[in-house]
Amino acid sequence: MAQDLQILVIGGGIAGIGAAQKLIKSGFNNVRILEATKRSGGRIQTGRLGMCDNIIEIGANFIHGPSKENPVFRLGCGYQLLSEESMSEENQAFDSGRHTLFIPNWFSSLGGKLAPETIAPALEFFMNLLERSQEFYSTGEEPFPSVGEFLKAEVKRLTPEEWKEDRESFDLRMAMANTLLKLECSYSGTHTMDDVSLGAFGMYKTLPGLDCTFPRGYEGLTDSMLKELPKDIVLYNKQVKCVHWNYSKKGPNTEGTSFPVVIECSNGETFAADHVIITVSLGYLKQHQHTFLSPSFPPQKLHSIQRMGFGTTNKIFLEFEKPFWDEDCELIYLVWEDETHLDDVVADIKTSWIRKMTGFTVLKPTERYGHVLCGWIAGRESEYMETLSEDEVLHTVTQLLLKFTGNPTLRPRKLLRSQWFHDLYSCGSYSYVAKGCSGRDIENLAEPLPLKGSDSKPLQVLFAGEATHNSYFSTVHGALLSGWREAERLVAHYTPASASFKS
Ligand code: 6YU
C-alpha cells in the first residue's frame, strides 16, 4: 500500500518541507525529513539586529513576483503573513521585470552625492543592454558565450559618439555602468557575469507583482507549513553522509524487509526507505559529489552538477544612529570613479575586496527597522570577506563609507554579515546557468535515479531544490515548486490513472 511506503526527504528547507507537505496531503503516512542542522528553513533564515532587535533576512528577502501564479505568495496570503499593501490587486499587477524600481542615491569615490541627471543616461544605457541580454534564449542565437562578454562588447560598440567627446563625463558613465555590472553579480549569484551563460540568461522567468517581504520574517512561512505537518516529521541534527541506492541487503531495523535505499548519517545512524527525495543545495552536491551517493551519480548527472553555476551572494547589515541618505532613498549605489573599464572582478581581493560591494538597500519602513542598510557583495570577494573578523569587516566598511560620503564622523553602530559560502550545508547562496550550460543541465539535475531504461526498482532517489527548477532557479518559489513536483511524481507513480503531473 502506498500509504505504508517509507519516504525520506533529505533537507528541511522550503523544497523539503514542500515535498513532505504534498506527500502527507496525498495520503503517504511514513514521511520523515532528515535535516543536518538544528533548524529548518535552510536558506530562508530570519535574524535579529539593532537596538530594537528588529528582524532581518540573512537569506531570502523577497517574494519575487508576488501574484496569484506564485505559490509562495499564495501560501503567504493563506497564512496571513503578508501586508494588505502586498496583497492588493495593484501590487500584484505591477510588472517590474527583473528589477524593482527603487529610488536611488548615488555616491562617488571622490566623496559626495552625484546628481540624478548625471546618472540617468548611463543607467538607461546599461539597463537596455541587460534587457537585450535576456533575448537570446528565445531566439536561440548566442553571439557571445557569456553575459559579461556580451555586455562588454556592446558597451564598446554602442557607446554614443557624443559621450566620447567629453572624456570626464564618459569615464564617469563607464564607472557607473561598472557599479551596475558588479551589482548584477549579486543578483545572479555569481563571481563574474563572464561565468553566466548568455544563451540561457532568459530562461529565468519573472512573475508579475512588486517584490514584497514578510513583515514578521520569511521563516514565518516555513514555520506555518511545518505546523500543518505531524509534529515529529523533521529529525534534526541528522547529517546525511551517503545515500546507498540499488541496495540489495536487508535494511537495518526493518524486520527482514528489503528496501532499495539506505541512508547513512555522519553519526553512524542508518535509515531505510522505499524512496528518497534529495533537496540539498547544488553547492553541497558539488562539494560532496564523489561520496554523497553510492553507487555514484551517473556520468551525465555528475557532469551537470560540476558545470552548473552556484555562487555566493552575501549581505552586510549596518545600523546607523542617523541616516546619511535622503529620506525617500531606497537604494544606495557607490561609483568608483577610477574604474573606467567594465570589469566586475577585483584585481587584488585581499586588499580591495570591498570594491565589489557597490549597492546597499535601505530597510523600510524606518519606523520598524531604524536606520539600517543592507550591503550586497558577491563572488570570491564576498567569500574572502567571510574569512575576516567582524571587526575587520566593520573597519573596512566604515572606511568605505567615509570615503564616499566625505563624512569623517560616520560610523555604523552595529554590523551583521551572512557567511553563506562557509555554511557547511549551503556552500554558497544560489544557482545560475553557467557559461556552456543549458536547460538540459537543469533537467539532468532533476532526473530521478535509476535513470529511465533501467530494470531496477524505479524512482528510488528523486531530486528537488531551487537548482532543479528550469525557470525559477535561485528563488524560494522555484524551490517550493520543485519539492511539489517530486512529491507529485511519486503520487502519480502510485496512482497510474492520474499519471500526468506538472513539472
Ligand atoms: C527568493 C530572495 N534572496 C538571498 C540570499 C540567499 C538566497 N534566495 P535549502 O538550502 O534552503 O534547503 C536545503 C536543506 O538541506 C538545508 O536546510 C540544509 O541544512 C539541508 N542539508 C544540506 N546538506 C544536508 C545533509 N547532508 N544532510 C541533511 N540535510 C542537509 N530567493 O525567492 N527571494 O529574495 C532571495 C536570497 C543571501 C542565500 C536567496 C532568494 C534563494 C532562496 O533562499 C533559495 O532558492 C531557497 O531558499 C532554496 O531552498 P531549498 O529548499 O532548495 O534549499 C537570469 C537570471 C538571474 C537569476 N537569478 C535571479 C536572482 C533572484 C534570486 N535573488 C535572490 C536574492 C535574494 C535577495
Side-chain angles (χ1 to χ4, degrees):
M1 290 293 280
Q3 298 93 299
D4 300 326
L5 294 164
Q6 301 278 349
I7 303 182
L8 290 171
V9 177
I10 305 181
I14 187 93
I17 297 172
Q21 178 196 48
K22 190 121 294 188
L23 287 167
I24 300 255
K25 276 194 184 147
S26 306
F28 290 82
N29 296 324
N30 295 320
V31 181
R32 287 277 181 286
I33 299 175
L34 300 178
E35 166 54 47
T37 67
K38 57 180 193 294
R39 57 173 286 277
S40 45
R43 283 170 276 167
I44 294 177
Q45 189 180 357
T46 306
R48 302 258 161 202
L49 171 85
M51 292 310 191
C52 319
D53 217 18
N54 286 313
I55 56 134
I56 46 154
E57 301 295 359
I58 294 162
N61 255 59
F62 306 105
I63 304 183
H64 289 302
S67 49
K68 302 254 153 53
E69 217 186 302
N70 187 326
V72 172
F73 177 73
R74 290 200 305 271
L75 287 180
C77 292
Y79 294 131
Q80 301 182 326
L81 298 173
L82 302 179
S83 70
E84 286 297 320
E85 194 188 348
S86 316
M87 291 189 291
S88 69
E89 291 298 326
E90 195 191 340
N91 257 53
Q92 289 185 53
F94 194 93
D95 200 350
S96 55
R98 299 179 80 234
H99 293 274
T100 308
L101 307 165
F102 292 111
I103 300 174
N105 276 181
W106 290 75
F107 286 87
S108 151
S109 54
L110 302 180
K113 243 181 259 163
L114 291 164
E117 56 275 19
T118 321
I119 292 119
L123 190 61
E124 200 190 326
F125 180 67
F126 188 82
M127 287 307 179
N128 277 341
L129 288 184
L130 209 51
E131 224 155 81
R132 279 194 38 228
S133 50
Q134 290 168 73
E135 287 165 8
F136 298 104
Y137 178 61
S138 51
T139 63
E141 300 160 73
E142 197 173 17
F144 291 89
S146 74
V147 176
E149 286 155 282
F150 169 73
L151 290 173
K152 285 172 205 164
E154 288 297 271
V155 162
K156 264 205 191 110
R157 190 172 73 86
L158 296 172
T159 302
E161 278 309 310
E162 64 270 22
W163 285 17
K164 296 179 187 157
E165 284 159 19
D166 176 353
R167 187 77 223 177
E168 217 172 283
S169 72
F170 172 74
D171 284 350
L172 180 59
R173 281 171 180 168
M174 288 301 117
M176 285 172 192
N178 213 33
T179 293
L180 297 169
L181 183 65
K182 287 181 189 167
L183 210 52
E184 193 53 37
C185 294
S186 293
Y187 189 70
S188 287
T190 183
H191 175 54
T192 161
M193 293 307 287
D194 289 1
D195 289 345
V196 179
S197 158
L198 180 63
F201 200 46
M203 263 178 79
Y204 176 77
K205 280 199 201 130
T206 54
L207 290 167
L210 185 61
D211 286 4
C212 70
T213 56
F214 287 84
R216 279 167 281 137
Y218 225 127
E219 272 187 14
L221 174 67
T222 39
D223 289 350
S224 303
M225 290 169 78
L226 280 174
K227 273 192 197 129
E228 294 180 344
L229 298 177
K231 232 174 84 204
D232 53 355
I233 190 156
V234 187
L235 303 180
Y236 292 100
N237 300 310
K238 304 290 178 211
Q239 293 116 24
V240 173
K241 189 172 149 197
C242 185
V243 176
H244 301 269
W245 57 295
N246 268 348
Y247 200 75
S248 51
K249 286 178 245 159
K250 300 271 182 265
N253 314 321
T254 54
E255 290 160 10
T257 325
S258 172
F259 284 88
V261 194
V262 168
I263 285 179
E264 181 192 348
C265 291
S266 306
N267 64 0
E269 270 181 280
T270 53
F271 296 86
D274 293 287
H275 303 281
V276 170
I277 303 181
I278 296 180
T279 73
V280 305
S281 77
L282 174 60
Y284 188 90
L285 286 183
K286 278 178 185 285
Q287 266 197 28
H288 301 269
Q289 54 184 273
H290 299 301
T291 53
F292 195 59
L293 217 62
S294 173
S296 192
F297 293 99
Q300 73 191 50
K301 209 170 173 77
L302 186 63
H303 198 50
S304 295
I305 290 173
Q306 293 165 342
R307 281 155 34 106
M308 274 290 287
F310 193 81
T312 307
T313 292
N314 271 312
K315 303 176 180 181
I316 302 181
F317 294 95
L318 302 163
E319 191 195 40
F320 296 86
E321 208 170 313
K322 52 180 196 286
F324 62 85
W325 52 93
D326 295 344
E327 208 181 323
D328 62 349
C329 170
E330 293 167 315
L331 182 60
I332 292 172
Y333 293 101
L334 304 184
V335 180
W336 288 90
E337 292 213 25
D338 58 347
E339 294 182 2
T340 55
H341 291 99
L342 280 199
D343 192 0
D344 51 9
V345 172
V346 165
D348 182 350
I349 290 185
K350 283 194 177 161
T351 57
S352 307
W353 63 269
I354 194 72
R355 281 181 175 254
K356 190 69 168 261
M357 189 164 69
T358 56
F360 296 82
T361 32
V362 182
L363 267 49
K364 298 269 173 146
T366 309
E367 310 82 69
R368 185 186 309 147
Y369 293 104
H371 306 299
V372 178
L373 296 182
C374 170
W376 297 87
I377 179 163
R380 292 202 268 282
E381 295 83 349
S382 125
E383 293 164 9
Y384 176 72
M385 178 278 294
E386 292 186 21
T387 65
L388 303 175
S389 71
E390 213 165 90
D391 279 347
E392 281 175 280
V393 177
L394 179 64
H395 174 76
T396 311
V397 174
T398 307
Q399 295 305 310
L400 174 87
L401 294 176
L402 200 146
K403 182 178 177 67
F404 277 81
T405 59
N407 174 356
T409 63
L410 192 74
R411 200 181 150 76
R413 66 179 175 197
K414 265 210 174 116
L415 175 142
L416 191 149
R417 44 76 197 260
S418 61
Q419 291 170 292
W420 287 106
F421 182 67
H422 288 90
D423 180 299
L424 287 180
Y425 299 102
S426 298
C427 312
S429 57
Y430 41 87
S431 65
Y432 60 90
V433 184
K435 183 153 107 174
C437 290
S438 68
R440 182 65 226 165
D441 290 285
I442 298 185
E443 283 164 28
N444 287 345
L445 293 183
E447 199 165 356
L449 296 176
L451 298 177
K452 276 193 201 100
S454 155
D455 50 14
S456 315
K457 192 170 182 218
L459 302 184
Q460 294 178 36
V461 188
L462 301 96
F463 294 85
E466 56 84 13
T468 69
H469 198 282
N470 55 12
S471 9
Y472 304 132
F473 51 87
S474 76
T475 65
V476 174
H477 53 285
L480 175 61
L481 285 171
S482 74
W484 287 353
R485 176 194 67 211
E486 294 312 312
E488 279 168 9
R489 200 192 290 271
L490 281 179
V491 174
H493 180 69
Y494 288 102
T495 48
S498 59
S500 69
F501 62 91
K502 272 195 352 217
S503 67

